[in-house]
Amino acid sequence: MFGQLLITCIRGLVALLSIQYHMASGCTNCMTSIPRTSLIGHEFMTLPNTDIHQCYQRCKREILCQSLNYLLSSNTCYLNTKIIGEKPEDEVKNMDATYFENPKRAPAPSECIDYTVLSEPDRNINYVNTDDKCDNSLGTKWYRFTGNGGTMLPTYEVPRLRCNSRASGYMNGTHPSLEEGIVSRKVCFREFNDPSPAPSECIDYTVLSEPDRNINYVNTDDKCDNSLGTKWYRFTGNGGTMLPTYEVPRLRCNSRASGYMNGTHPSLEEGIVSRKVCFREFNDPCRSINIRVRNCGPFYVYELVSSVTCFARYCTV
């Protein structure tokens, strides 16, 4: 029996898209479909190089998936939060597409669809305060974080003066699973007079961001760190964000004697720890000096001292 509406059963890789209308009597796991049709503007997930069976199974697992668009030419699956019955104005004709509705769908929680987006890059925990921004004008409603600033609240302590604010907010507790539904959590704002202020070295440090500190940078300039003063440093940028904790060959990091840390990085709870840094020289695999290290949550800081000799340099990964 043929017509405009296609009802197909997902049982492995069946030829779903080659017929116009089919009714399987007694079918209990079928998808309602409309060929040459898409629902636009409501996609929340794109799955490239996916066959229709995988697309359907993914839709069944996603709590938000009410329908899907499948593009034949590229084998691309688009999962939607709405169905055409709810948004008929967003139905479009597309000769390459077939639209399916999820027979297992349940209404998505309203807060997973009706929310306000917060996407400011300076909300990121690595953004140091310059503008004293605050959230005292936010209304009580559901929000979603997106963009380069980050997609979720941190669940660990954040130092003061981050997120372009004086008082940095972080969530005290874990994020819930799908099964847990809505949960209550406490958000802590780190303020100046907080009884446990952020360690000073996690705020007051000198940045080292030279790309040629990376362990893959072969020596050409015999650089060294014998002019570094004894103070706290943080590594950033393309060169790397931490000291390597494994042996590095000579003639790396644009230096003759490559420096690496002999020991692991500390946890937050360990506080400041002492570590040895080895500089790999021609006839000495570990000409060492002692440094101190602290875990600041999203990054590490190191209390470095001047290198033992020129040409010796701290490497990064």
Side-chain angles (χ1 to χ4, degrees):
M1 183 176 179
F2 294 88
Q4 287 302 309
L5 181 67
L6 171 66
I7 300 180
T8 52
C9 297
I10 304 296
R11 294 193 179 95
L13 298 178
V14 294
L16 298 176
L17 308 177
S18 63
I19 58 177
Q20 292 295 313
Y21 181 92
H22 173 66
M23 177 69 78
S25 60
C27 181
T28 59
N29 192 25
C30 300
M31 293 190 81
T32 302
S33 319
I34 306 176
R36 299 184 295 280
T37 301
S38 289
L39 178 66
I40 63 169
H42 303 285
E43 304 90 346
F44 71 93
M45 185 180 295
T46 301
L47 304 170
N49 301 315
T50 304
D51 66 49
I52 183 60
H53 179 67
Q54 294 169 328
C55 183
Y56 168 68
Q57 294 299 327
R58 186 58 180 267
C59 184
K60 286 202 303 181
R61 294 197 302 270
E62 294 291 336
I63 188 172
L64 293 181
C65 189
Q66 304 292 294
S67 67
L68 62 91
N69 306 318
Y70 190 77
L71 269 59
L72 285 168
S73 61
S74 60
N75 295 324
T76 303
C77 171
Y78 298 91
L79 305 186
N80 304 318
T81 59
K82 298 288 186 181
I83 62 174
I84 285 177
E86 296 173 303
K87 293 290 181 179
E89 67 275 16
D90 295 329
E91 176 185 355
V92 298
K93 293 301 177 183
N94 183 342
M95 296 302 293
D96 187 42
T98 297
Y99 163 85
F100 294 86
E101 290 184 1
N102 182 3
K104 300 289 187 179
R105 70 180 183 274
S110 60
E111 60 273 11
C112 293
I113 300 173
D114 184 16
Y115 52 75
T116 298
V117 169
L118 298 175
S119 59
E120 305 98 307
D122 61 357
R123 286 188 180 274
N124 189 271
I125 57 175
N126 294 318
Y127 201 105
V128 178
N129 179 46
T130 57
D131 300 320
D132 284 350
K133 290 189 177 180
C134 67
D135 284 332
N136 64 351
S137 62
L138 289 184
T140 302
K141 56 182 178 178
W142 290 97
Y143 294 88
R144 177 185 175 188
F145 297 104
T146 67
N148 293 334
T151 60
M152 62 181 71
L153 292 177
T155 56
Y156 47 81
E157 187 175 319
V158 177
R160 296 182 58 240
L161 305 176
R162 296 302 170 86
C163 324
N164 209 359
S165 177
R166 293 187 189 180
S168 316
Y170 62 94
M171 189 168 76
N172 190 352
T174 59
H175 285 89
S177 65
L178 272 174
E179 293 71 26
E180 289 179 277
I182 294 176
V183 298
S184 295
R185 293 289 186 266
K186 181 172 70 172
V187 170
C188 297
F189 292 95
R190 169 67 66 148
E191 296 183 309
F192 179 75
N193 59 353
D194 190 286
S196 55
S200 61
E201 58 272 13
C202 292
I203 299 173
D204 184 15
Y205 52 74
T206 297
V207 170
L208 298 175
S209 59
E210 306 97 312
D212 61 358
R213 285 189 181 275
N214 189 270
I215 59 172
N216 295 318
Y217 201 105
V218 178
N219 179 45
T220 58
D221 301 318
D222 285 350
K223 290 188 177 181
C224 68
D225 283 331
N226 65 350
S227 62
L228 287 184
T230 301
K231 57 181 177 178
W232 289 95
Y233 295 88
R234 176 186 172 189
F235 296 107
T236 68
N238 294 334
T241 59
M242 62 181 71
L243 293 177
T245 55
Y246 47 83
E247 187 174 321
V248 178
R250 298 182 58 242
L251 304 177
R252 297 295 175 88
C253 324
N254 208 1
S255 178
R256 292 186 193 178
S258 316
Y260 62 93
M261 190 167 74
N262 190 351
T264 59
H265 283 88
S267 66
L268 275 171
E269 294 71 27
E270 290 179 276
I272 295 175
V273 300
S274 295
R275 292 289 186 265
K276 181 170 70 172
V277 170
C278 295
F279 292 96
R280 182 64 183 265
E281 297 186 315
F282 179 73
N283 59 353
D284 189 350
C286 184
R287 188 169 183 181
S288 67
I289 57 176
N290 293 318
I291 67 168
R292 297 197 299 167
V293 188
R294 180 185 275 281
N295 185 333
C296 291
F299 59 89
Y300 296 98
V301 290
Y302 305 85
E303 189 183 46
L304 306 179
V305 298
S306 298
S307 57
V308 290
T309 181
C310 225
F311 301 92
R313 198 180 192 207
Y314 297 100
C315 297
T316 54
V317 290

